[in-house]
């Protein structure tokens, strides 16, 4: 009788526990002071995630001395890998002169100029500390500008930990008066939402690629179609580019040919430090101008801090078109190799995504991002097999390349993931 998926996962789990005793010990210690031994949901997986000691380039090293090729990049927040030398150099310099003060700094001005030049609106920039803070500020600005309260977003669309934008996630549905929902890539569903609730919708907020969970890229006319609908109904179009600013030098707007009213940024724009930003039309962001008697208040002790803006400017500066093209090419190489290797071993596999960010699922069809994952057993098995073979991927089988994954590292990723597929196929055939 063949081994079931659950039986195979239990076997892989036992082997993982035996191979990571120090991570297990430290996780047990952490559980006394952190819920579940963790301080974030993303990155956690059963039986426990590794405890890392250091990172260098495309590699992470855990407490047991095991090396992993990092194909998740801390949830896409490290576009140049770990301890990127140009960022380390500027961070060391900034630390000697102070990291934050209440006034503007030269690095803050220079970074704002760079972001304003990259984003097609060529507008104003307001800094925050995370993508979540950027989403909260974007909603605040949209509500003030339109005089409306509700936000329209996609089912399963992730925009940080702001409760308004968690509608459609974690088992939650619409939040009448605050959040309405459409279906990603289904323009008609957004058309219906505007027809029914248009007079209450302040803005639509969308990612160009849904990444958290199942990776799904926007179809060519979807974003522009939703943008047009929003403007027809007096609403703003907000582009969440925290993750997909990697698609082009000007981010998703350049890649898809749209011009958002507001663009949210986060993740890698801090060069490994926590930085968020909203970039957009001067008449919208200008509501924050402290010279205005009707100004909107927006505080934040570390908004635009010297360390983050100095490191972020280096990270964004070094994300050139040539670097993006190289990451995209290597990602496609890995996707093609995985699909071929799975087929040769009689395993179902489908990959989805765009550019250097993609998902790989042991499933014959693309899993639905809404509701239970049909592929959850097989994909969880592949996730743990990949980790045991030294490749760190997202717990939903999400992949993302950094600029320091060169051809040799990409080939090693393929070799290790093919070995992981061998482990899965062999265990299921027992």
């Amino acid at each position: 009788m063949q081994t079931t998926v659950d039986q195979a996962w239990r076997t892989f789990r036992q082997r993982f526990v035996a191979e990571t005793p120090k991570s297990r010990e430290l996780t047990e210690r952490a559980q006394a002071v952190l819920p579940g031994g963790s301080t974030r949901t993303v990155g956690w997986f059963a039986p426990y995630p590794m405890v890392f000691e250091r990172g260098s380039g495309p590699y992470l090293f855990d407490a047991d001395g095991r090396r992993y090729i990092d194909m998740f990049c801390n949830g896409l927040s490290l576009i140049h890998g770990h301890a990127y030398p140009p960022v380390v150099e500027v961070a060391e310099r900034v630390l000697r002169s102070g990291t934050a003060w209440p006034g503007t700094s030269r690095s803050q001005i220079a970074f704002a100029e760079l972001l304003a030049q990259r984003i097609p609106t060529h507008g104003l920039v307001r800094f925050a500390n995370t993508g979540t803070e950027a989403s909260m500020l974007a909603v605040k600005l949209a509500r003030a500008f339109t005089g409306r309260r509700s936000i329209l977003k996609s089912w399963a669309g992730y925009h940080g930990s702001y409760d308004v934008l968690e509608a459609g996630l974690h088992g939650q549905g619409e939040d009448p008066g605050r959040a309405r929902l459409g279906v990603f890539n289904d323009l008609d569903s957004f058309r219906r939402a505007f027809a029914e609730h248009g007079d209450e919708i302040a803005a639509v907020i969308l990612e160009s690629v849904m990444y958290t969970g199942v990776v799904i890229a926007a179809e060519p006319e979807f974003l522009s179609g939703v943008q047009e609908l929003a403007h027809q109904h007096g609403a703003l179009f907000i582009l969440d580019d925290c993750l997909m600013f990697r698609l082009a030098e000007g981010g998703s707007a350049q890649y898809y040919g749209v011009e958002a009213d507001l663009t949210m940024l986060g993740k890698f724009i801090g060069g490994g430090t926590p930085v968020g930003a909203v970039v957009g039309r001067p008449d919208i962001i200008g509501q924050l101008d402290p010279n205005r008697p009707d100004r909107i208040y927006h505080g934040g002790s570390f908004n635009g801090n010297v360390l983050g803006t100095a490191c972020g400017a280096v990270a964004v500066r070094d994300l050139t078109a040539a670097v993006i093209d190289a990451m995209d090419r290597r990602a496609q190489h890995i996707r093609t190799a995985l699909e071929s290797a799975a087929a040769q071993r009689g395993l179902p596999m489908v990959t989805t995504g765009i550019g250097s960010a993609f998902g790989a699922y042991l499933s014959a069809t693309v899993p639905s991002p809404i509701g239970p994952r049909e592929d959850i057993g097989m994909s969880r098995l592949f996730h743990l097999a990949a980790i045991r073979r030294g490749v760190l991927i997202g717990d939903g089988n999400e992949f993302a390349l950094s600029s320091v994954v060169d051809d040799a590292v990409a080939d090693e990723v393929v070799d290790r993931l093919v070995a992981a597929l061998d482990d899965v196929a062999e265990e299921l055939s027992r």
Side-chain angles (χ1 to χ4, degrees):
M1 180 178 178
Q2 288 189 328
T3 302
T4 67
V5 172
D6 286 344
Q7 288 171 332
W9 190 82
R10 285 195 291 270
T11 298
F12 283 8
R13 172 181 174 142
Q14 290 170 356
R15 293 172 183 170
F16 173 81
V17 170
E19 293 161 353
T20 56
K22 290 183 179 178
S23 283
R24 182 180 72 252
E25 178 185 346
L26 287 166
T27 297
E28 291 171 352
R29 173 182 164 188
Q31 288 171 345
V33 288
L34 298 168
S38 177
T39 197
R40 61 192 290 196
T41 302
V42 172
W44 186 92
F45 60 87
Y48 51 81
M50 298 76 71
V51 175
F52 293 111
E53 299 281 0
R54 65 185 180 93
S56 177
Y59 306 112
L60 278 168
F61 301 84
D62 70 10
D64 292 282
R66 295 166 62 90
R67 191 199 75 170
Y68 304 84
I69 303 175
D70 188 358
M71 295 294 291
F72 189 53
C73 304
N74 193 38
L76 280 73
S77 62
L78 299 168
I79 199 71
H80 301 299
H82 300 272
Y84 182 53
V87 167
V88 171
E89 180 183 355
V90 75
E92 290 175 341
R93 173 175 53 79
V94 170
L95 283 169
R96 295 189 185 98
S97 60
T99 58
W101 44 74
T104 304
S105 67
R106 291 179 183 270
S107 65
Q108 185 184 113
I109 296 168
F111 193 27
E113 289 171 341
L114 175 59
L115 293 176
Q117 186 275 327
R118 289 256 185 146
I119 302 295
T121 51
H122 297 282
L124 297 178
V125 178
R126 186 73 169 204
F127 287 112
N129 294 292
T130 63
T132 291
E133 286 190 16
S135 73
M136 296 170 73
L137 178 58
V139 169
K140 186 175 186 176
L141 288 167
R143 285 172 166 172
F145 189 79
T146 63
R148 302 172 181 178
R149 298 294 299 170
S150 192
I151 302 299
L152 176 58
K153 63 179 291 279
S154 291
W155 283 95
Y158 177 76
H159 307 287
S161 299
Y162 184 27
D163 63 346
V164 170
L165 298 178
E166 287 186 329
L169 286 165
H170 319 307
Q172 302 177 70
E174 290 191 327
D175 187 352
R178 300 176 78 222
R180 298 292 179 179
L181 296 167
V183 177
F184 194 75
N185 275 336
D186 183 350
L187 187 57
D188 284 340
S189 71
F190 283 82
R191 189 173 287 114
R192 289 191 296 270
F194 271 113
E196 296 173 11
H197 309 291
D199 58 352
E200 71 178 48
I201 296 172
V204 181
I205 182 168
L206 287 174
E207 307 165 273
S208 65
V209 180
M210 292 209 302
Y211 182 86
T212 305
V214 178
V215 182
I216 299 178
E219 294 174 356
E221 305 303 323
F222 174 65
L223 294 179
S224 60
V226 173
Q227 178 188 36
E228 183 178 351
L229 276 173
H231 290 169
Q232 287 174 356
H233 290 270
L236 302 183
F237 179 69
I238 302 173
L239 180 64
D240 180 349
D241 226 16
C242 289
L243 296 175
M244 294 302 147
F245 194 49
R246 63 173 48 229
L247 291 183
E249 286 188 341
S252 297
Q254 178 184 342
Y255 187 92
Y256 277 95
V258 296
E259 189 169 306
D261 299 304
L262 296 173
T263 299
M264 293 160 36
L265 299 173
K267 297 293 187 183
F268 72 80
I269 70 158
T273 69
V275 175
V278 180
V279 185
R281 285 168 38 187
D283 56 333
I284 303 173
I285 296 187
Q287 296 174 105
L288 298 166
D289 185 343
N291 293 297
R292 290 176 51 161
D294 60 343
R295 67 185 180 275
I296 296 173
Y297 179 81
H298 171 235
S301 298
F302 291 95
N303 291 351
N305 68 82
V306 186
L307 180 63
T309 53
C311 293
V314 171
V316 174
R317 178 201 69 194
D318 289 358
L319 185 65
T320 64
V323 168
I324 292 168
D325 288 344
M327 291 194 301
D328 293 353
R329 174 175 54 80
R330 290 166 183 140
Q332 187 57 54
H333 165 61
I334 294 170
R335 289 177 64 173
T336 301
L338 272 179
E339 291 173 344
S340 175
Q344 291 171 10
R345 287 152 181 78
L347 294 171
M349 175 167 278
V350 60
T351 68
T352 65
I354 193 169
S356 57
F358 65 95
Y361 313 105
L362 285 182
S363 172
T365 58
V366 178
S368 171
I370 304 171
R373 288 268 296 270
E374 303 91 339
D375 68 310
I376 191 64
M378 288 286 284
S379 289
R380 184 176 65 164
L381 192 61
F382 178 57
H383 173 256
L384 199 53
I387 286 174
R388 291 190 58 246
R389 285 292 182 174
V391 180
L392 179 64
I393 62 178
D395 63 339
N397 286 17
E398 304 101 334
F399 289 71
L401 273 70
S402 62
S403 66
V404 291
V405 172
D406 59 17
D407 289 341
V409 174
D411 286 341
E412 185 180 353
V413 168
V414 169
D415 291 343
R416 289 178 178 273
L417 291 178
V418 168
L421 289 172
D422 283 334
D423 293 341
V424 171
E426 179 181 350
E427 192 61 35
L428 290 176
S429 66
R430 290 183 187 276

